[in-house]
Amino acid sequence: MCSLRSPKTISPTSFWQISTLSTTNLIQDYIRDGNVNDARKLFDENLTSCNTIAWNSMITGHIRHNQMQSAHDLFDRMPVRDVVSWNTMLSGLNKTKNPHKLHQLFLQMNRAGERPNQFTFPTIISGFLNTFDVLVPQLHSLILHLGLHSNIFVGSALMRGYTHLHDHYSLCHVFDDILLKDISTWNALLVGYMDLGFTTEAQMTFNRMPEVNIISWTTLVDGYIKNKKINQARHVFDEMPQKNVVSWTAMIKGYVQQENYTNAIQLFISMLNSNTSPNHFTFSTLLDACAGFSMFLLGTQLHSCILKSGLSQELVLSTSLIDMYTKCGDIKSAFTIFDSMETKNTVSWNSIIGGCARHGLATRALSEFKKMTDENGVKPDHVTYINVLSACVHGGLVEEGEWHFREMVERYGIGKEMKHYTCMVDLYGKAGEVDKAVRLVKEMPFEPDVGVWGALLAGCGLHSCYEVANGLEKLGQNYSSIYNMFIKIHGEKGSWGRVVEMRDRVIKKQKGSSRVELSLGES
DNA sequence: ATAGGGTTAG
């Protein structure tokens, strides 16, 4: 018969165990309530008696509050790490979107002899997507080796991985390997089929699913949109038993992509009428349309809606608004929003610098860039430099442009992309240094695209470099839109025979020309 | 104490 022990019979060791246990429980309670500070205080006070569970809980608490550095410090100081400690750290790194550190920690885990389990793989696979996609089959073989392939979470992660690799066969294979499938598993198959362009298979899958939820419906709608079948998407959308903000936004986005603004706006109004509140995704999508097509009035109306909705502090939305205002020609409003932002990220700075460049405010663009990097310590990315370089183009600042072109690589390790070369070619071309532009095109590690040719020829046209343009003619003949530039140059020279010849080629080749061609040479 | 599906910005 078991009875409660009297305090007298408790030995020092069990006392120790009890106090450890209650400390651990208290820490867990604090963390569950979102109170990291008190948890940490208790943890520090009882540091020597804390067990691995207490350490792990404390790490989880820091990660939940985005205190990755504190989490890392604790992890490094831990006397004993178990698989949960490693998994928790991995998921923390995954949350902060740091694939390289994630990769390193995973390798470290293996080196330390800790065997990954069913919690490890979903985290690392999702973190590896877009960066280490190639490792998916290797991870798969490790998973098979450890006998984790039938796990539902591991399987779903693998399905996403193979979708990214466009491996239709393995996608189905992994799906079949999952023993007990739930609705998320089926949804992952839907996404996979849709992303790989198998709309029929996706529809068939949807039809034979044991149950579907609003995510399955939305996946189907979005999948049809991604595969450019807007009418099918709308058909499914109309059939939906209920809709939420995500499904409305997906459908609106579909129309925006089709440049069907009438339907997009009508749908937005129906959405409001159905008592679904738009969120920042919805507004962002609509603002993007306004920015792309200079719909200033609609843009300002959306701005009012955003102010009323209380979403105006959202970083993404402020950035979309800045972009809309600069592209609609109202740089002043753009700055008003920009200056009122509490936190700014790289994209926010990019949109204001790009806005200045577009408005010909080269000096302002460059001073904002200085503020961004030197005063605020925000790291520029490849888009920042496209904007900085195009500001230099507008200002005719050749030497400054060259300097930034070098700094980009040497100081920030950003690789030179075609767009950056296009800016430099444009910069040299406009400044009359056509020879330098030609040299740059020749030493560029890419096949020049239509933008590079356009920039180069615009430079030739501007400075009447007949000889250079003529020498380039053969090279650029795959691009029909280039011919207009030749017509101008030949015309200036009075070579009317060549003009007529070119014009004939333009007519022959320019069938189905698009907006892109009209905007040649502007970037 | 740790894990997976659908819509954002240049």
Side-chain angles (χ1 to χ4, degrees):
Chain A
M1 203 50 185
C2 197
S3 64
L4 280 173
R5 291 199 223 172
S6 70
K8 245 194 281 179
T9 61
I10 293 180
S11 66
T13 33
S14 46
F15 221 176
W16 178 264
Q17 279 165 359
I18 286 169
S19 83
T20 302
L21 221 117
S22 60
T23 308
T24 307
N25 284 340
L26 265 173
I27 290 174
Q28 287 178 351
D29 287 347
Y30 276 137
I31 285 169
R32 203 177 312 116
D33 298 342
N35 191 347
V36 236
N37 294 337
D38 284 342
R40 184 59 194 259
K41 219 174 125 201
L42 190 64
F43 177 83
D44 285 337
E45 281 163 5
N46 299 281
L47 194 63
T48 45
S49 64
C50 278
N51 59 15
T52 306
I53 295 182
W55 281 84
N56 288 342
S57 307
M58 204 55 244
I59 292 176
T60 304
H62 283 309
I63 288 176
R64 277 198 201 145
H65 289 78
N66 302 315
Q67 299 163 333
M68 204 50 208
Q69 190 53 51
S70 310
H72 222 300
D73 289 344
L74 282 187
F75 181 75
D76 289 340
R77 279 167 46 203
M78 279 184 92
V80 184
R81 292 177 197 140
D82 63 8
V83 67
V84 177
S85 328
W86 289 96
N87 288 344
T88 309
M89 281 308 293
L90 288 169
S91 81
L93 289 174
N94 193 22
K95 236 176 63 173
T96 56
K97 295 196 179 144
N98 199 330
H100 291 278
K101 281 203 175 152
L102 184 75
H103 183 230
Q104 276 176 3
L105 198 75
F106 179 64
L107 296 180
Q108 222 178 308
M109 174 184 187
N110 286 289
R111 248 180 277 131
E114 193 66 69
R115 176 193 271 214
N117 67 5
Q118 70 275 24
F119 282 83
T120 318
F121 288 104
T123 308
I124 54 167
I125 292 174
S126 85
F128 280 4
L129 296 186
N130 298 325
T131 314
F132 299 109
D133 288 318
V134 286
L135 293 181
V136 168
Q138 280 85 337
L139 292 172
H140 189 187
S141 84
L142 188 55
I143 286 164
L144 289 166
H145 182 74
L146 295 168
L148 297 170
H149 56 284
S150 55
N151 178 278
I152 190 165
F153 288 97
V154 176
S156 294
L158 277 175
M159 286 170 71
R160 280 190 62 201
Y162 280 119
T163 301
H164 269 250
L165 288 174
H166 299 278
D167 186 343
H168 167 234
Y169 174 80
S170 301
L171 169 71
C172 301
H173 190 80
V174 172
F175 176 77
D176 289 336
D177 265 356
I178 299 170
L179 269 181
L180 294 166
K181 303 167 177 62
D182 69 0
I183 195 159
S184 294
T185 322
W186 285 92
N187 285 345
L189 187 64
L190 269 186
V191 174
Y193 276 140
M194 280 303 194
D195 280 359
L196 301 185
F198 295 96
T199 51
T200 315
E201 283 79 358
Q203 183 69 61
M204 274 161 51
T205 301
F206 182 83
N207 295 343
R208 54 181 259 260
M209 277 169 71
E211 52 166 342
V212 294
N213 60 11
I214 195 160
I215 294 172
S216 329
W217 282 97
T218 311
T219 305
L220 207 60
V221 170
D222 190 53
Y224 278 125
I225 289 169
K226 280 188 187 139
N227 286 286
K228 310 234 155 71
K229 296 183 174 174
I230 190 95
N231 293 333
Q232 302 234 50
R234 182 57 189 262
H235 182 71
V236 174
F237 181 78
D238 288 337
E239 300 269 296
M240 287 181 80
Q242 72 247 16
K243 305 170 175 70
N244 65 8
V245 58
V246 180
S247 25
W248 282 103
T249 306
M251 196 65 230
I252 291 172
K253 192 178 164 231
Y255 283 124
V256 169
Q257 279 171 357
Q258 299 262 313
E259 300 176 15
N260 187 338
Y261 305 111
T262 318
N263 281 9
I265 294 158
Q266 267 175 4
L267 214 57
F268 178 60
I269 293 167
S270 313
M271 174 183 178
L272 297 176
N273 287 336
S274 75
N275 272 327
T276 313
S277 301
N279 63 12
H280 58 296
F281 286 81
T282 324
F283 284 122
S284 197
T285 303
L286 289 164
L287 283 172
D288 188 32
C290 297
F293 290 86
S294 301
M295 297 186 282
F296 181 65
L297 189 60
L298 182 62
T300 53
Q301 287 171 339
L302 285 169
H303 191 179
S304 309
C305 294
I306 291 164
L307 290 169
K308 273 189 230 161
S309 70
L311 291 167
S312 50
Q313 288 301 310
E314 288 273 349
L315 189 132
V316 173
L317 263 188
S318 308
T319 306
S320 299
L321 280 169
I322 292 170
D323 195 48
M324 182 277 292
Y325 276 120
T326 65
K327 287 187 176 160
C328 291
D330 186 352
I331 187 99
K332 232 180 129 191
S333 300
F335 263 109
T336 308
I337 295 167
F338 184 72
D339 292 335
S340 73
M341 287 174 77
E342 277 176 22
T343 48
K344 300 173 178 115
N345 66 5
T346 303
V347 185
S348 337
W349 285 97
N350 287 353
S351 50
I352 201 74
I353 293 170
C356 291
R358 215 170 294 117
H359 282 256
L361 305 169
T363 326
R364 185 71 194 266
L366 295 171
S367 68
E368 292 298 331
F369 174 73
K370 217 167 151 45
K371 259 197 246 167
M372 168 191 184
T373 52
D374 296 354
E375 286 172 36
N376 294 19
V378 178
K379 266 183 107 177
D381 66 3
H382 63 115
V383 180
T384 318
Y385 272 100
I386 293 171
N387 294 339
V388 166
L389 294 176
S390 68
C392 295
V393 174
H394 286 294
L397 307 166
V398 177
E399 278 168 22
E400 181 130 20
E402 286 175 331
W403 185 78
H404 284 298
F405 196 48
R406 275 196 306 273
E407 277 273 296
M408 174 174 93
V409 182
E410 288 166 12
R411 183 162 167 200
Y412 296 105
I414 300 167
K416 293 174 178 173
E417 291 171 22
M418 184 96 81
K419 283 264 193 183
H420 302 122
Y421 281 101
T422 309
C423 290
M424 289 308 287
V425 170
D426 203 12
L427 179 62
Y428 288 137
K430 284 210 171 73
E433 305 199 37
V434 178
D435 292 342
K436 271 192 171 176
V438 172
R439 216 178 310 143
L440 197 64
V441 173
K442 281 188 180 151
E443 68 180 46
M444 190 173 80
F446 313 101
E447 270 306 305
D449 69 352
V450 67
V452 175
W453 289 126
L456 187 54
L457 283 163
C460 293
L462 205 57
H463 299 278
S464 306
C465 303
Y466 177 78
E467 300 301 327
V468 180
N470 220 19
L472 295 171
E473 195 180 311
K474 294 183 291 297
L475 298 169
Q477 64 185 319
N478 289 328
Y479 303 104
S480 60
S481 50
I482 297 292
Y483 291 115
N484 283 322
M485 228 83 67
F486 282 121
I487 288 175
K488 178 180 178 293
I489 294 169
H490 288 311
E492 276 179 0
K493 190 82 184 166
S495 317
W496 300 113
R498 301 299 307 279
V499 170
V500 173
E501 183 195 322
M502 288 290 158
R503 194 197 57 199
D504 290 345
R505 286 207 237 173
V506 171
I507 290 166
K508 208 165 60 194
K509 288 212 166 195
Q510 240 190 3
K511 269 185 190 164
S513 72
S514 68
R515 285 183 50 86
V516 177
E517 297 182 351
L518 291 173
S519 63
L520 244 189
E522 278 173 16
S523 62

